[in-house]
Amino acid sequence: MNHVKVGIVIGSDSDLKVMKGAADMLEYFGIGYEIVISSAHRVPDRTIQYAKSAEERGLEVVIAGAGMAAHLPGVIAACTSLPVIGVPIQSGPLEGKDALLSMVQMPSGVPVAVMAINGAKNAGIFAAQILSGKDPEIRRKLKEYKERLAEEVNAKAEKLKRLGIEGYLSE
């Protein structure tokens, strides 16, 4: 795996199961990453220091996952010029909708690219796409990945055509 290029930040260890999807995709593409727990509300100084030092430590992208009030991606984006990808975590009485809205509604000048609720896997893929602009090996792996996705869909389409609905569902 290459040197660490992506920082994954989670506000709580309860976010780890979801955010593992981002780590898995980064590993698939051979992209080095680090993962840390740092809450925007409980340890704001630590979170701000992490964001401010990210670029000098060699990071190129930050993925931040948070639930409920979900200010973690926004705080990080406010403190770095690196691209920040937010992953709203399904939690609390609003099931992640509050997290989604807080990330999507960032003020002008402080953008956060936002994935779907629990969309950590796509966050890892999107980070790879960002990095692929200057890394031909990552770009090659992304093309292979997309080709594999297309092959899987084509195989399923052929199977459905061959077996029909009932036969497909009974397998």
Side-chain angles (χ1 to χ4, degrees):
M1 200 171 309
N2 297 333
H3 74 282
V4 174
K5 293 182 180 182
V6 178
I8 300 174
V9 185
I10 56 176
S12 169
D13 62 347
S14 63
D15 301 335
L16 198 52
K17 287 181 182 177
V18 169
M19 295 304 288
K20 184 181 181 309
D24 290 346
M25 293 313 302
L26 294 170
E27 288 176 15
Y28 177 87
F29 293 115
I31 299 168
Y33 67 91
E34 63 184 22
I35 185 161
V36 300
I37 298 172
S38 190
S39 169
H41 299 106
R42 294 181 209 109
V43 287
D45 293 339
R46 177 185 172 138
T47 301
I48 291 166
Q49 180 55 36
Y50 179 87
K52 286 184 174 183
S53 68
E55 189 173 359
E56 69 189 38
R57 291 183 297 105
L59 296 184
E60 297 180 45
V61 179
V62 177
I63 299 171
M68 299 183 74
H71 293 96
L72 183 61
V75 168
I76 293 171
C79 297
T80 184
S81 59
L82 297 176
V84 176
I85 304 168
V87 178
I89 305 291
Q90 184 177 2
S91 62
L94 298 179
E95 300 179 340
K97 293 177 190 85
D98 47 349
L100 173 65
L101 292 174
S102 75
M103 292 180 199
V104 170
Q105 295 291 49
M106 289 298 297
S108 180
V110 189
V112 171
V114 182
M115 301 296 110
I117 295 171
N118 287 356
K121 182 177 176 180
N122 271 355
I125 296 167
F126 191 57
Q129 290 175 322
I130 291 168
L131 296 169
S132 74
K134 61 181 186 178
D135 189 323
E137 181 61 17
I138 296 172
R139 192 167 40 253
R140 181 189 65 75
K141 288 178 181 179
L142 276 163
K143 287 179 183 176
E144 287 176 1
Y145 177 76
K146 300 269 178 145
E147 288 168 2
R148 194 183 87 227
L149 290 177
E151 289 169 6
E152 290 172 5
V153 170
N154 288 333
K156 290 175 184 179
E158 286 302 314
K159 179 180 174 183
L160 178 59
K161 183 178 179 181
R162 186 177 75 251
L163 299 177
I165 295 171
E166 294 303 322
Y168 191 97
L169 293 176
S170 68
E171 275 198 1

